[in-house]
């Protein structure tokens, strides 16, 4: 992940007024390292608590080609927050929200309407990183905003604050589990399959607190998944967690009550979509992050990682990609620069994502220049590095072979 500081021309926006960008504090340890070089959305950490802010917090900044713009905010009490990113001119934003552990807990592409991004999520007290990137990897400017739901929104969105229609107590919805409360069936999981046009809403109940996951799967439909409580409050929303499939997780649990699953389609709303509600599985959740290159797997042998060994001058390897990312590792003995190329063959569309051995994403690239080839150039120090090779989201492009080339350069002596 290419975490860069805002350009000198960027300005901080607090409420409706503009202020100069304030000096940055050391953020390198935040969000498990993802906050390195990031900008506090309020200018300083003390001014970036959205729970106590008098107005929304926001800034306008540059997203460099192939890189990201990372902003930080804090929450001092449990609450719903709204996260938004909107291109100031041309471009298409994508946002990811990371918690203090560096885990992606929300992602969105076009939830703000048109090519803007938007999502609402319930968060606990802590520090969060909002990572904004360009969908096509192009250089662009974007306006970002963090707000409470009662504060002014940046994007148009929908009346629900997201996709489709909200689900209230009066909304007609099909019973997801006709046999009663879901609690006893969560271990094995319950699934329903229908087109989104046929079944846009499902309702289920819980008798007690349950940690669970909800998925909506069929990339042809590109489903958007939302969950509402019985009062019609949006609890979580997701698009494209795993490829074009969607997923929301309630790790700390959902309380006893009635809930409504709302579905919308960004693709074909007439194809069957499988919705599954199951007990939360840490293993499956992390597997999804690895398959989407949102986190790097461990190097303890519990997950397949091809060790390429010491990078002396140049390595070459052909990688056959599929629905899951292929992970490789290589070792660097001295400081320098590595150039990594993923060359497309037979019409495939490779993506590269580079991590260090602590799991910090250093950079990601899909289409470099005017081709489907991917390329990363990164400064490195001695250590082990991990590289994910595959198609973006696992579903874009044609399955094929990616010709991987890794070269090492050192400073002239």
């Amino acid at each position: 992940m290419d975490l860069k500081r805002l350009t000198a021309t960027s300005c901080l926006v607090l409420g409706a007024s503009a202020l100069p960008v304030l000096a940055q504090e050391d953020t390198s340890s935040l969000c498990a390292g993802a906050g390195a070089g990031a900008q506090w959305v309020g200018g300083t950490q003390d001014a970036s608590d959205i729970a106590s802010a008098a107005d929304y917090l926001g800034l306008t900044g540059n997203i460099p080609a192939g890189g990201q713009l990372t902003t930080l905010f804090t929450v001092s009490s449990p609450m719903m927050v709204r996260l938004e990113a909107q291109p100031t001119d041309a471009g298409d934003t994508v946002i990811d929200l990371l918690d203090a552990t560096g885990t992606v807990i929300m992602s969105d592409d076009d939830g703000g309407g048109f090519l803007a991004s938007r999502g609402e999520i319930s968060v606990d007290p802590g520090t969060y990183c909002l990572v904004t990137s360009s969908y096509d990897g192009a250089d662009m400017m974007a306006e970002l905003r963090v707000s409470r739901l009662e504060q002014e929104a940046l994007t148009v969105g929908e009346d629900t604050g997201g996709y489709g229609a909200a689900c209230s107590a009066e909304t007609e919805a099909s019973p997801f589990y006709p046999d009663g409360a879901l609690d006893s069936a969560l271990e094995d999981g319950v699934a329903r399959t229908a087109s989104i046009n046929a079944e846009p809403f499902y309702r289920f109940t819980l008798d007690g607190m349950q940690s669970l996951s909800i998925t909506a799967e069929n990339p042809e439909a590109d489903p958007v998944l939302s969950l509402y409580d019985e009062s019609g409050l949006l609890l979580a929303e997701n698009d494209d967690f795993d490829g074009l499939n969607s997923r929301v997780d309630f790790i700390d649990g959902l309380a006893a009550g009635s809930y409504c699953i709302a579905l919308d389609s960004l693709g074909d709303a007439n194809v069957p979509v499988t919705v599954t509600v199951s007990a939360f599985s840490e293993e499956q959740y992390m597997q999804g992050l690895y398959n989407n290159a949102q986190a790097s797997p461990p190097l303890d042998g519990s997950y397949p990682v091809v060790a390429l060994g010491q990078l002396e001058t140049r390595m070459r390897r052909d990688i056959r990609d599929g629905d899951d990312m292929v992970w490789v590792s290589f070792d660097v003995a001295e400081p320098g620069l590595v150039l990594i190329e993923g060359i497309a063959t037979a019409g495939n569309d490779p993506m590269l994502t580079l991590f260090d051995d602590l799991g910090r994403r250093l950079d990601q690239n899909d289409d470099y220049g005017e081709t489907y080839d991917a390329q990363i150039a990164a400064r490195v120090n001695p250590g082990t590095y991990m590289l994910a090779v595959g198609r973006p989201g696992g579903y874009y492009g044609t399955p094929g072979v990616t010709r991987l080339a890794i070269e090492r350069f050192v400073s002239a002596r």
Side-chain angles (χ1 to χ4, degrees), residues 174-186 189-192 203-207:
S174 298
F176 188 77
Y177 188 60
D179 294 340
L182 259 178
D183 305 65
S184 61
L186 286 174
V190 177
R192 292 284 303 273
R203 201 178 301 279
F204 68 88
T205 60
L206 296 173
D207 282 340

Side-chain angles (χ1 to χ4, degrees), residues 30 72 98 143 158 163 183 188 194 201-202 214 237 240 258 273 279 293 309 314 337 352 369-370 391 400:
L30 301 178
L72 297 157
L98 282 62
E143 183 177 354
E158 301 287 346
Y163 299 87
D183 305 65
D188 294 329
F201 301 104
Y202 293 107
I214 307 173
E237 185 172 71
D240 300 349
S258 176
V273 171
R314 183 173 182 264
L337 181 139
L352 302 174
E370 301 298 322
R391 291 173 286 154

Side-chain angles (χ1 to χ4, degrees), residues 52-178:
S52 60
D55 205 344
Y56 63 79
L57 301 174
L59 57 82
T60 299
N62 174 251
I63 302 171
Q68 291 88 23
L69 172 61
T70 302
T71 49
L72 297 157
F73 68 95
T74 61
V75 178
S76 58
S77 59
M79 61 179 299
M80 289 287 295
V81 295
R82 180 193 298 119
L83 298 314
E84 299 170 281
Q86 179 169 272
T88 60
D89 187 10
D92 182 357
T93 56
V94 178
I95 58 173
D96 293 302
L97 181 64
L98 282 62
D99 64 13
T101 69
T103 299
V104 178
I105 58 174
M106 189 209 76
S107 299
D108 182 72
D109 180 8
D110 299 328
F114 302 104
L115 299 178
S117 306
R118 173 170 169 166
E120 290 83 18
I121 186 171
S122 176
V123 294
D124 292 324
T127 299
Y128 296 86
C129 291
L130 178 62
V131 180
T132 307
S133 57
S134 171
Y135 180 80
D136 59 5
D139 182 89
M140 63 176 293
M141 295 291 294
E143 183 177 354
L144 313 180
R145 185 172 296 184
V146 179
S147 59
R148 300 191 299 273
L149 298 191
E150 71 271 16
Q151 293 170 338
E152 181 183 357
L154 169 66
T155 61
V156 176
E158 301 287 346
D159 291 342
T160 65
Y163 299 87
C167 185
S168 66
E170 291 74 34
T171 301
E172 184 176 346
S174 298
F176 188 77
Y177 188 60

Side-chain angles (χ1 to χ4, degrees), residues 361-375:
R361 192 166 75 172
L362 304 180
D363 203 355
Q364 183 179 75
N365 183 256
D366 177 14
D367 299 331
Y368 181 78
E370 301 298 322
T371 72
Y372 288 121
D373 297 342
Q375 180 174 295

Side-chain angles (χ1 to χ4, degrees), residues 263-275:
L263 300 168
D264 194 10
S265 174
L266 299 180
D268 186 348
N270 292 308
V271 298
V273 171
T274 298
V275 178

Side-chain angles (χ1 to χ4, degrees), residues 280-293:
F280 174 78
S281 166
E282 183 74 23
E283 181 180 355
Q284 292 178 4
Y285 177 73
M286 295 307 298
Q287 178 78 45
L289 295 181
Y290 303 153
N291 288 346
N292 214 25

